[in-house]
Amino acid sequence: MPPRPWYHKTSIYQIYPRSFYDSNGDGIGDIKGILQKLDYIQGLGFETIWSSPFFSSPQADFGYDISNYTDIAPEYGTMNDALRLIEEVHKRGMRIVFDMVMNHTSDQHPWFKESRSSQDNPKADWYIWRPPSNSPHFCKKWGERPNNWNSMTGGSGWHYAPERGQYFWSSFLPFQPDLNYRNPEVKKAMFEAVRFWLGKGVDGFRLDIFNVIYKDAEFHDNPFSFKLAPTEDDPSGFFQEAKYTLNQPESFEFARELRSVTEEFGERMLLGEVSGNRQIIRKFLGDEVNNGLGLVFDFAMLDFKFTADYFRALIEEMERHYPDPFMPVYVFSNHDKHRSMFRLGDDLRKAKLLAMFQLTARGVPCMYYGEEIGMTDLKQPFGSALDPLPHKFKLVPRFIFDLLGLFANRDEVRTPMQWDGTRNAGFSSAEKTWLPVHENYPSINVQHEDGDKDSLLNIIRALGKIRQEEGALRDGPLELMDGLPDGVLGYIRKFEDNKLAVLLNFDGQAREVPIEYSECVFKLSSGDVAKEKAIQLNGFGGMIIKL
Ligand code: GLC
């Protein structure tokens, strides 16, 4: 077996740059702000930083609508700041991956402006254009759209451009037109952008909605489905099966092609944002060998249930679908979905146990900024949202979303990082920050937790350090333990002569586990009643022991 690539052994910290740290007092986080906090991230034990996009963009989707792939948006800084960021990260022995939005550009990108201007300009075929299905006189009517495809956000993804008398396709929102990867010039241009950043030393990319890059070449209508809302394991919804709009065979092939481009620069991380059934998304990694994307998110786990049975089944699934030479990613929150505290009922004890699982299971942990201090969602009305997504659903009462377990207002999880108890949680000196700071910042902030040795923050720091020191946690296989008391999950990680057992009590009641061990590596708020040949895990307690 070839040696494991670095990106299978690393741990990832996700930064949403707009909300991380504002260095110049304009209320918006920036690259210089990230630079000032690198030591903090290093101290957490995370080895790779993924930053959401800071490229030139009208910011209609806060950077996920790019208008120049090789320049930096002025509110985030300059090209020099970006280069310094790469350099400073590397100086610390860490890595950094950028967020590459290949599927679509902003509608303000010069490519799109040119493309939409006429049917015969040099970029006419750079986006996905189709004529109305019937007479152009009625083309704005629903029935005249090129086919029945829904966008990922609901409703038709076809949008009419009078300049061409045609529709263009957007998988996400109308101002994010999809590029046409069946045109070799598009591929070439995007590979150039990829090479540009790799040449600057970037360690790889997180790939935005990578599984929609190709759509059916024949534009077949999608079949009807009874499914109302998309779920993490099945993106079909809005009464349509996303058969021809997602996970097309050409996209798997494209993953391999992109991999060969990045390999010109050595071992670089490709982390795909993909969605769908586990068996399908797994195909983005390659067939039998790791020759596609290096890693994919498997978002079904964002809907986790806090029970030992759930996490046992999750491990079984991940081990089945991502065995060597593949590697699962363990992720429980990001800039698009509820923070994990939402599912943990704001219980810090549970957050500590979740972190212990995430940092010790066989996989790459990926943690969203603020999770390390237990930041929570900040509920806000759809009407005043800055996020463009909820505006699509303005007429739907909020309780329907909550009832269906749907999440639409992403502002709620993008509030400024809570650094300390001063004004604006120490995020910015501005009068007004771009999104409000959560009112719980006086007690939930880095400085406050810094001083408490049992805080979530310090537990994550300790676990991050153990992960770095113990080869078994970074590199060893995982074996589930049987015969444990109800509510307790246990697994063994082995590396050379070293054998560690991780025991996690998902129940609020204490549990006794009969086991012999030679050394306790870490204990979480309990497990300190060591008896002969047995240990006690208090409610939501955990222990890492050497066998
Ligand atoms: C991804 C991003 C999300 C963005 C969308 C469109 O899902 O994570 O924030 O809005 O793609 O680019």
Side-chain angles (χ1 to χ4, degrees), residues 61 64 104 172 176 206 208-209 273 335-336 410 414:
D61 190 15
Y64 286 96
H104 51 269
F172 208 72
Q176 292 162 309
R206 176 264 188 188
D208 194 66
I209 49 173
E273 186 201 22
H335 63 293
D336 294 328
R410 299 173 300 175
R414 298 173 175 179

Side-chain angles (χ1 to χ4, degrees), residues 423-438:
R423 208 169 62 87
N424 294 333
F427 159 73
S428 166
S429 60
E431 215 35 64
K432 196 167 176 275
T433 54
W434 82 282
L435 278 179
V437 174
H438 201 296

